[in-house]
């Protein structure tokens, strides 16, 4: 029972890392992941940095983990400082284009 359930749990965790629905890309966890909509590059646990490479046009919502405060996150789009909205535990970036790089930096 347990070995099969563990494999399924790992898949659902990996699958839920990044979602896409109606032009909105939602990043739920800071794990490395490639998809048709975005690639996530996580530097955790060595560095407080996550990079998200957009492959689509639209809105990006990035979940703020419970151990991290929104005020401690520095946000950048294409190496330029950005000021995303904080909406219900997510950072919301609008007008993201293909090949845009969103970078979050924070203290560990």
């Amino acid at each position: 029972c347990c070995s099969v359930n563990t494999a399924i749990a790992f898949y659902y965790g990996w699958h839920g890392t990044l979602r896409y629905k109606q032009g909105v890309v939602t990043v739920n966890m800071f794990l490395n992941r490639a998809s048709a909509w975005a690639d996530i590059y996580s530097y955790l646990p060595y560095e407080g940095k996550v990079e998200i490479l957009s492959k689509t046009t639209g809105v990006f919502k990035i979940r703020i983990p419970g151990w991290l405060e929104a005020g401690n996150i520095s946000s950048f789009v294409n190496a330029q400082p950005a000021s995303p909205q904080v909406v219900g535990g997510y950072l919301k970036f609008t007008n993201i284009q293909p090949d845009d790089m969103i970078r979050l930096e924070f203290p560990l």
Side-chain angles (χ1 to χ4, degrees):
C1 78
C2 299
S3 61
V4 173
N5 291 338
T6 302
I8 292 169
F10 280 136
Y11 168 76
Y12 282 126
W14 172 85
H15 182 69
T17 299
L18 186 136
R19 298 285 174 104
Y20 178 83
K21 186 175 183 180
Q22 299 176 348
V24 178
V25 176
T26 305
V27 176
N28 290 306
M29 289 185 277
F30 294 163
L31 296 175
N32 291 322
R33 177 132 170 5
S35 75
W37 310 287
D39 291 342
I40 304 170
Y41 304 100
S42 177
Y43 292 78
L44 293 172
Y46 306 105
E47 189 176 345
K49 181 167 76 170
V50 174
E51 295 178 332
I52 301 160
L53 177 64
S54 172
K55 295 182 180 177
T56 186
T57 300
V59 174
F60 276 68
K61 290 173 45 182
I62 303 170
R63 185 179 150 302
I64 304 167
W67 52 267
L68 184 58
E69 293 182 25
N72 291 336
I73 301 172
S74 298
S75 303
F76 303 88
V77 176
N78 297 326
Q80 300 298 316
S83 299
Q85 289 179 298
V86 178
V87 180
Y90 287 82
L91 295 175
K92 183 179 178 184
F93 294 84
T94 56
N95 300 321
I96 299 298
Q97 302 299 315
D99 296 322
D100 281 355
M101 178 68 78
I102 299 170
R103 186 175 80 236
L104 305 178
E105 296 179 355
F106 43 87
L108 289 180

